[in-house]
Amino acid sequence: MRTSLSSNNFSSGLVNESINGRYDLPLYRNGLSVCDNFIINYEGGLKNRTGLIKIIDTLDSVLLPFVFSRQKSYIIQFTNTNKIRFLTYNASGVLGYILDNNNDIYEINSPFTLTEAKKVQFAQKQDVMYLCHPDHVPQKLTRLSATTFSIANVVFDGSSPFTNITGYPSSVAFYENRLFYGGIKNKPTFIYASDVGYYDKFSLTGTDDDLDGFVFDLTQTNNNIDWMLPTQTSLICGAQDGLLFCNGGSSSIAMTKKNFISKKASNDGSSSSSPVLVENTAIYIDTTERNTRSFIYDLITETFNTDNLNIANNDYTLSGIKQICSLKQKYDSVYAVLNNGDVMFCNFLQNEGINCWTYLKFYNEVVQIQNIPRSYDTFEDLIFLVKENNNYYICKLADEVEFRHKEDFYTGNKAEDELTYIRYSNEKAKQLNYLDMSKTFADYYTSTLTYNPTTKVMTSTASNFLSGDVGKRIVYYTET
């Protein structure tokens, strides 16, 4: 006789088939072999993922975040036409392209091809973003006003530390009021630090002033420094043969020419894809491109610890992970874009040991994801570049809709309370969006419709409907 067991805890998320024999483990009891298009919350429950809202038609491109402030942030778009476009929120909180004086999309020339833009590393401070590619002089993207930008070669104060002989850097980061470059094309294990407070000046020789710049060879690695990530305790450097940390001798001592150490903290190397920082934890894609790993400093042992976040579910990353992106809303989460165009979602809370993954299948092929702070609240939006039939679109992940409890409407009049709650629920239900590539129309108007049950024809008693309305959907509303 077949027995069905109920479960109310799915906190392990997706688990590999090899776990099936370990019914004694909590990982098995709370795990799932299939979990498509659901989100697992911190309490272990399941909920549907939201849909993708279509924002605008676009080109094949690369998206980067440019955050000037929470009130003014941008998505920088490097297109396949060697142009740079800019998306931002308007005063009404609507995301769209910046337009020029002719109401055309505002563009500037890009020094990078689309293939090169996919390998660009960047670092931003206020209204300036530095961009690096090993085949180009470092670039400086500058916000001139809320709607205008410029991009040009970095002009160094004094002699440039990079030449055609040394090659150009592939990674860049701000740390301790210096600008660091790493992964020089012909000096792949070297990092260069600017003078303190002067990001385009590198006083590398002549004095031992602690404010001067410096250069060091990270001898613990034989591979290129693909990325650098500033944290509270150290500058983390990612290479294919491991992760290194750099500081002044401890987490409380600033780096100078005289005070500098670098150590390999992990032999679990990284891919060249950029990592993300969730609270104090660095998360990166390892060299297999099947796993994401966490990297965090332990204050008690004064060492860095690394964990494989996909050790129990890397059967689902068989196509490979090409990009990760974090999202800060009600909870911290991580999205991993797979090479097959699908996405994996992870609710992540390092201190509580929460790390549960689900599989998200969107209607379209997901090319890239970026987050951007919203101008109208304290949360972030998740922006998608998707591909459908060789066409590309900018989309936004729809917000979750939270419903208040029925008890919140209690006044003592049962009939009236019930009606009030029904009206409220119907209004909130209009905000639910589980469709991909959905589009909201702004030309709503009110009209009275009459239905003839004999002819099965619905007729408008007003003159609002026009021939151009054919094909649009009719949305009901409730009186509140």
Side-chain angles (χ1 to χ4, degrees), residues 311-325:
I311 192 170
N313 50 55
N314 55 18
D315 285 354
Y316 302 88
T317 60
L318 187 62
S319 69
I321 304 171
K322 66 178 180 179
Q323 184 222 345
I324 54 176
C325 181

Side-chain angles (χ1 to χ4, degrees), residues 42 278-279 327-334 345-349:
Y42 283 151
V278 180
E279 296 297 337
L327 179 67
K328 191 173 188 64
Q329 285 194 336
K330 186 176 180 181
Y331 305 111
D332 290 322
S333 55
V334 176
F345 166 89
C346 175
N347 247 334
F348 181 79
L349 189 61

Side-chain angles (χ1 to χ4, degrees), residues 128-148:
V128 175
M129 175 181 282
Y130 289 82
L131 303 112
C132 285
H133 186 281
D135 293 332
H136 289 268
V137 175
Q139 300 292 305
K140 184 186 288 189
L141 178 67
T142 305
R143 176 183 180 269
L144 303 175
S145 72
T147 57
T148 56

Side-chain angles (χ1 to χ4, degrees), residues 55 245 301 319 329 364:
I55 302 297
F245 69 90
T301 62
S319 69
Q329 285 194 336
N364 326 84

Side-chain angles (χ1 to χ4, degrees), residues 81-140:
T81 58
N82 292 0
K83 298 288 185 179
I84 306 175
R85 295 177 173 182
F86 306 86
L87 294 107
T88 191
Y89 294 100
N90 65 15
S92 302
V94 177
L95 184 68
Y97 281 121
I98 292 177
L99 303 179
D100 61 19
N101 294 332
N102 297 318
N103 265 350
D104 295 323
I105 296 176
Y106 173 71
E107 296 179 323
I108 61 175
N109 292 326
S110 170
F112 307 113
T113 66
L114 179 61
T115 301
E116 290 172 337
K118 293 178 180 179
K119 297 181 179 180
V120 164
Q121 294 286 327
F122 64 94
Q124 185 197 341
K125 190 173 182 65
Q126 297 176 343
D127 55 3
V128 175
M129 175 181 282
Y130 289 82
L131 303 112
C132 285
H133 186 281
D135 293 332
H136 289 268
V137 175
Q139 300 292 305
K140 184 186 288 189

Side-chain angles (χ1 to χ4, degrees), residues 11 40-43 309 346-356:
S11 56
I40 299 176
N41 58 30
Y42 283 151
E43 295 79 16
L309 302 183
C346 175
N347 247 334
F348 181 79
L349 189 61
Q350 177 75 29
N351 293 337
E352 301 298 330
I354 296 176
N355 163 38
C356 48

